[in-house]
Structures are given as C-alpha cells and as structure tokens.
Amino acid sequence: MQFRNLGRSGLRVSLVGLGCNNFGGRIDDAAAAKVVDAAIEHGITLFDTADIYGNRGGSETVLGTLLGARRKDIVLATKFGMDMNDAGTMKGGSRRYIMNAVEASLRRLRTDWIDLYQMHRFDPLTPVEETLRTLEDLISQGKVRYIGCSNFAPWQIADAAWSARDLGVTGFASAQDEYSLLKRGAESDLIPAATHYGMGLLPYFPLANGLLTGKYKRNAPMPEGARMTREAPRAAEVLTEANWEKTEKLTAFCEARAKTLVGLAFSWLAAQPIISSVIAGATRPEQIAANVKAAEWALTAEELAEIDAITK
C-alpha cells in the first residue's frame, strides 16, 4: 500500500481508501465486518463515512461497533451537513448544528476524535466564517484533527480558504468530489483551485457508478442489485452513448496490455498529483483485494496521453 499526505497537511492516508456508504443499509453487519477486516489486512487506513449514510447514522454505528481497538490504527473520516431529519431542521453549517452533529457522530463511532471532519455540502444560509470558527473550536477541543469539504464549487473553495486565512483559523485540507475517467469536469476549475490552496482531492465514484467495472454491457439487461439498476436517474446520467464509446475504447486499451478496466480506473486517478486517496466502496472482501491491486499499475506518459485522447 502506498501512502500520501492529505494535501499540504501532515496527515498520511492510504492511496486506496474505503468508502463505508454501504454499511447499515445495502449490506448487513456480518458482511460489513468482512469488508472492514479485509481493508485493514490489505493496508487501507482511510475509512470514509458520513452521518447521513446508512439511513441517517447506520454507517457510523456499524463502523464504530466493528473497529473496536483498531480505531487507533486508522484514519477515520466522516461528514456533516446533509439533512438528518425530514423536517429539514438538522442540517447545514451553523455553530448550533455542528456542535450537536459532531457529538452525535462521536457517539455512533464510539470514539473521542474524528481524524477528518468534512462539510458534506455548502450551506448558503450560514456564513463560511461561522462554520470555520466552529470547526476551529472542535480542533482546539481535540474532537477533530483535520477538516475538509465536499461538493463545493471552486469559488466556494477559494472563499473558504481566504476566510480561514483572514480569521487565522485552520482551513480545509481536502475536497471530496466526483472524479473519474468518465467524469473529468473537475479539471476545469475545481482541481486548479484545490491545488492552489494546498488541498488534497478525495475522488468518489472512481468507477463511474460501476460502469468502469465491466459489469454493465451495452444493449444487455441491467445486473440485478447493482447501483444503477436501483437508481434509474443515475443510470440515465451515466449510461450515455458517449460514455459507452469511451468505456469500450478503454476496455480495448486494457485488453491490449492484459490489464483490467478497474485497474485502469484506479491507476489513472493515482497518477493525478492532486489525488491523496481514492475512495471506493465495497460489499465483499474480494473487491477490497481487487481495488488495492488495481492501484499498482504505473501508467507511462505515453499511456496517459492515449487515455486523454479517449476520455477528454
């Protein structure tokens, strides 16, 4: 396993991270235990969850139960900000909400501290200065070690960075956003902004919702139980003619080198300087092993140029 710093911070994270969004919902506790065991055995240290995962709290609860004494050996990341009740009163980045949200996450995770506390989305109703001051208080109290953001627009990243500098408080060390061979829009503005402000990128959906696993085939029945089989709107967004063409060309690229499409998806992300860790979910231990092995392919400059010609 390779390790990298989270942006310009001193926090070291495994190049392959485990996304825990399947815990407390899609898979049962026994299956989650096997995934956690496999991740630790393969050297994964970054475990990424959120308070909203697992039907609001389920993922954090399962993860807190399964880690036990191993908690101290991993980098535990979670998020706040999404709707935690149907009334819409438990969300956002206000001081009042964050102070309650962090305590709830700490209880569910059965820990005294969160290594990376991430704002899940921008809150237009709360000044970013209020959010940053509150997070700084949590750092001072020892409840949070580093902070990050997710799904922020480039201008929001810049505004938060300038605000943190102006206030003399800790800024965001990372940004978690969708980025893959088939979703490269972040390269236009978001990645340059994050790079400028010394942030590491934690890409989610590195396999383009499964399209880059090879399990979906053009003009074939959708696989039972798969994400895009369950989520028709997402499937309509991902399973486009352009993406089918790119995927088929990328498959041919891999076959010519006796490699897998999953290997290409991970290794291409690993080749991007902005990437600190590739966040990927898993429902079975075999997927953990495949994801870790996938990141080992060192792409040449010529291969990267050929991939650009296919996907840009």
Side-chain angles (χ1 to χ4, degrees):
M1 177 63 68
Q2 298 178 46
F3 291 85
R4 295 182 178 178
N5 283 55
L6 186 68
R8 284 198 208 123
S9 79
L11 182 62
R12 299 281 284 174
V13 294
S14 53
L15 177 55
V16 177
L18 176 63
C20 302
N21 56 306
N22 292 313
F23 297 176
R26 189 178 174 195
I27 60 175
D28 61 25
D29 293 4
K34 293 178 181 177
V35 169
V36 168
D37 290 346
I40 292 175
E41 288 168 8
H42 283 84
I44 290 176
T45 60
L46 179 60
F47 285 65
D48 180 75
T49 186
D51 55 7
I52 198 169
Y53 293 167
N55 192 27
R56 296 172 175 161
S59 175
E60 288 184 329
T61 299
V62 170
L63 191 56
T65 301
L66 295 177
L67 285 173
R70 299 175 297 181
R71 160 67 188 99
K72 65 182 184 301
D73 301 321
I74 63 109
V75 175
L76 185 56
T78 192
K79 310 179 196 72
F80 70 92
M82 294 288 199
D83 295 80
M84 287 296 282
N85 67 359
D86 292 337
T89 57
M90 294 174 62
K91 64 178 181 179
S94 70
R95 172 174 289 272
R96 180 177 184 273
Y97 178 67
I98 293 173
M99 287 299 193
N100 290 325
V102 72
E103 295 297 339
S105 286
L106 289 168
R107 283 194 300 272
R108 289 189 291 263
L109 291 166
R110 299 189 182 187
T111 185
D112 295 324
W113 80 96
I114 294 165
D115 293 297
L116 177 62
Y117 201 37
Q118 303 158 99
M119 190 172 184
H120 213 154
R121 66 181 176 195
F122 182 77
D123 179 7
L125 301 179
T126 303
V128 71
E129 293 87 352
E130 178 178 335
T131 300
L132 290 169
R133 284 188 185 278
T134 305
L135 294 172
E136 181 71 10
D137 287 345
L138 296 181
I139 293 172
S140 298
Q141 294 167 14
K143 295 177 180 179
V144 169
R145 301 283 169 84
Y146 297 86
I147 59 173
C149 63
S150 180
N151 302 307
F152 273 40
W155 74 264
Q156 293 163 346
I157 284 177
D159 186 41
W162 273 98
S163 296
R165 185 180 302 175
D166 185 56
L167 295 169
V169 299
T170 305
F172 293 132
S174 62
Q176 188 167 155
D177 294 271
E178 185 172 2
Y179 186 44
S180 73
L181 279 165
L182 301 181
K183 189 82 170 182
R184 299 184 60 172
E187 294 173 353
S188 60
D189 295 302
L190 189 141
I191 287 178
T195 300
H196 180 75
Y197 293 110
M199 300 165 67
L201 182 64
L202 302 173
Y204 64 78
F205 293 159
L207 299 174
N209 292 108
L211 184 53
L212 292 174
T213 64
K215 66 183 173 184
Y216 297 98
K217 304 295 182 184
R218 196 203 297 247
N219 301 321
M222 297 284 280
E224 186 175 350
R227 177 188 293 274
M228 288 191 286
T229 304
R230 304 190 313 270
E231 302 175 12
R234 189 67 177 173
E237 179 184 340
V238 176
L239 301 179
T240 64
E241 183 64 24
N243 279 347
W244 281 123
E245 290 181 4
K246 291 176 185 177
T247 302
E248 289 167 356
K249 290 178 181 177
L250 292 171
T251 300
F253 175 92
C254 293
E255 290 174 348
R257 294 161 176 79
K259 299 288 187 177
T260 67
L261 198 54
V262 171
L264 179 61
F266 274 81
S267 296
W268 179 81
L269 284 168
Q272 311 308 311
I274 186 72
I275 300 298
S276 294
S277 180
V278 182
I279 305 293
T283 57
R284 304 187 310 278
E286 311 88 80
Q287 292 173 323
I288 295 289
N291 291 347
V292 171
K293 184 174 179 56
E296 296 175 355
W297 181 5
L299 294 162
T300 66
E302 292 75 17
E303 287 173 329
L304 289 169
E306 187 173 343
I307 293 166
D308 279 349
I310 294 171
T311 60
K312 271 195 169 181

